[in-house]
Amino acid sequence: MSLSKLGITGSEKDYQLWISSAEKKTSYPLTGHEHPYGIKMSCIPATGLLQQQLEGSTSASALQEAFLEGPQELQDQFILKPRHSARNQARKQQGKVSDKKTVRKSSLKNWAFGCISRTREVNEHPCLPPTKTKQLFGAPLEDVCDNDTLPTPILDMLSFINHKGPFTEGIFRKSGSIKSCRALKKKLNCGDTVNLNDVPIFVISSVLKDFLRNIQGSIFSASLYDKWLDVIDQGNDEDKIKATQRLLDQLPRANVVFLRYLFAVLRNIEQHSSSNQMTAYNLSVCITPSMLCLSNSGSSENFTKQISFIQFLIENCLKIFGEDITCLFGETSVSSDNSNITDITDNSEKVAGM
């Protein structure tokens, strides 16, 4: 951008942007971590840099000379230097760096274009590694669970959907606004408190599917993928249930906890399919891609088996996970009128004691 604005021909590889500070009485190159894309070089003429030196001259060489040298009275300047001269200057200054180990911060007012200086002396006083925020999305489930207890935001979303989903037509089939989904996901990932009553239910169900889809290693464990699909080829329903339970025993405990809650919600929705138009098959079609799809398993035959397996789990979840899953969310009282659904009591303390 600078080369073009100043009318300088040549490759950008031949030049480097430097910062000169009167306070530091030195200059140093921008190495990349400053990320200076926001610096508007069109502001340069307003400093008087060109006007004081050129007064009517428009030649490329004169522009370059004025830009590179500049008047000494300017406090802070951005300087475009040919890389060969920049390297020479860097070598000369290298011997001085060891004598200046003080890390200083410059106020926003003292830096041109609102930039904050970064020192080059951090090696002598290395900082401790930054503490990473514990991410809710995209991590192994056991990493975001506390003693096999699901994270509160996930329990809240499951509880909310279990409460209102049975009488919401197209739940898990209809998607929420992409913008609203991103906003909710960002708040949950940052640990912000969210009042779900202020969020559309389709946004909540979409974000829950997003969480499910991004569980690292898959909720069903990618290493067991083929074995899960083999369940549907077992003889009768009793054989399928036993095969499923054997595989559940191989999953991390946190994964089983989540599956119990999830299928309790799906069963509750399926029980009211006359109101929400979401049968066990319809639910499996909509939620299977978030649970049991691998990038290398996109054949239509595999997808059909995946859907059949999830449908089987929904229809037989009481035998597979235990009849007590109907009480995971506490006592629920619902009415056939979607607008008249009583509040439910979250019974999340049962998770760890299952």
Side-chain angles (χ1 to χ4, degrees):
M1 293 172 63
S2 303
L3 294 178
S4 174
K5 187 142 191 88
L6 298 175
I8 301 174
T9 58
S11 170
E12 61 182 84
K13 296 180 180 179
D14 297 332
Y15 296 89
Q16 187 171 19
L17 196 64
W18 284 53
I19 182 73
S20 175
S21 171
E23 181 184 358
K24 281 175 164 275
K25 297 182 180 180
T26 185
S27 60
Y28 59 90
L30 302 184
T31 60
H33 68 273
E34 300 88 351
H35 212 45
Y37 67 89
I39 301 173
K40 293 183 170 64
M41 300 308 294
S42 59
C43 296
I44 289 294
T47 65
L49 178 64
L50 299 184
Q51 289 87 336
Q52 293 180 24
Q53 293 292 320
L54 289 182
E55 296 192 358
S57 175
T58 57
S59 69
S61 59
L63 284 169
Q64 179 180 2
E65 181 180 355
F67 182 63
L68 297 181
E69 299 301 330
Q72 296 297 321
E73 63 269 21
L74 284 180
Q75 293 297 310
D76 302 301
Q77 304 173 32
F78 283 93
I79 306 173
L80 190 66
K81 294 187 179 184
R83 284 193 178 273
H84 62 84
S85 63
R87 284 194 295 267
N88 292 336
Q89 182 172 345
R91 292 191 188 99
K92 292 179 181 179
Q93 292 182 349
Q94 187 173 5
K96 302 177 182 179
V97 174
S98 59
D99 298 327
K100 298 180 180 180
K101 297 297 183 179
T102 303
V103 179
R104 302 192 302 175
K105 293 182 179 178
S106 204
S107 68
L108 291 174
K109 293 181 180 179
N110 291 335
W111 283 106
F113 315 113
C115 292
I116 299 176
S117 65
R118 300 284 302 269
T119 65
R120 296 163 295 164
E121 295 87 8
V122 294
N123 289 335
E124 182 173 333
H125 304 288
C127 298
L128 292 175
T131 302
K132 292 185 178 180
T133 304
K134 193 172 184 180
Q135 297 292 308
L136 185 63
F137 291 75
L141 195 55
E142 57 265 35
D143 287 358
V144 297
C145 290
D146 184 13
N147 294 326
D148 298 327
T149 301
L150 295 179
T152 299
I154 303 304
L155 277 175
D156 288 345
M157 287 194 291
L158 286 165
S159 179
F160 189 89
I161 297 171
N162 186 67
H163 186 196
K164 294 189 175 181
F167 301 104
T168 301
E169 184 175 340
I171 186 66
F172 284 119
R173 176 172 59 82
K174 297 180 181 179
S175 299
S177 158
I178 294 178
K179 181 178 180 181
S180 298
C181 290
R182 287 176 178 171
L184 177 58
K185 180 178 178 180
K186 182 178 180 181
K187 289 180 180 179
L188 296 178
N189 230 8
C190 293
D192 296 344
T193 301
V194 178
N195 184 357
L196 294 182
N197 288 313
D198 298 333
V199 183
I201 189 170
F202 293 120
V203 172
I204 297 172
S205 62
S206 295
V207 170
L208 181 67
K209 287 199 297 183
D210 185 284
F211 173 81
L212 182 61
R213 182 167 53 251
N214 287 286
I215 292 175
Q216 195 176 116
S218 170
I219 185 65
F220 280 110
S221 183
S223 62
L224 298 175
Y225 174 80
D226 292 329
K227 294 182 180 179
W228 288 115
L229 293 190
D230 289 341
V231 167
I232 209 65
D233 295 326
Q234 300 294 321
N236 54 36
D237 285 355
E238 191 64 28
D239 292 334
K240 294 175 184 177
I241 291 171
K242 290 181 179 179
T244 300
Q245 291 174 332
R246 285 194 296 269
L247 290 173
L248 287 172
D249 289 339
Q250 300 180 47
L251 290 178
R253 179 125 179 111
N255 291 40
V256 179
V257 170
F258 185 86
L259 288 171
R260 295 185 85 237
Y261 270 85
L262 178 63
F263 278 95
V265 172
L266 295 176
R267 178 188 179 276
N268 192 24
I269 292 172
E270 187 268 338
Q271 292 292 298
H272 297 85
S273 59
S274 59
S275 297
N276 55 52
Q277 306 301 312
M278 296 301 291
T279 63
Y281 173 77
N282 292 338
L283 285 168
S284 64
V285 169
C286 296
I287 207 165
T288 292
S290 300
M291 300 182 69
L292 201 60
C293 279
L294 301 181
S295 57
N296 59 353
S297 61
S299 70
S300 58
E301 180 183 357
N302 275 346
F303 190 55
T304 300
K305 294 181 73 171
Q306 292 164 4
I307 293 174
S308 298
F309 174 66
I310 299 300
Q311 180 182 354
F312 175 79
L313 293 186
I314 296 173
E315 293 173 343
N316 297 274
C317 62
L318 296 185
K319 295 180 180 179
I320 294 172
F321 297 104
E323 294 187 0
D324 61 323
I325 66 171
T326 59
C327 302
L328 289 176
F329 297 98
E331 295 298 327
T332 306
S333 175
V334 295
S335 143
S336 58
D337 179 5
N338 189 27
S339 64
N340 183 25
I341 304 177
T342 63
D343 291 337
I344 64 173
T345 303
D346 184 9
N347 202 17
S348 58
E349 67 270 12
K350 291 186 179 181
V351 181
M354 290 187 306

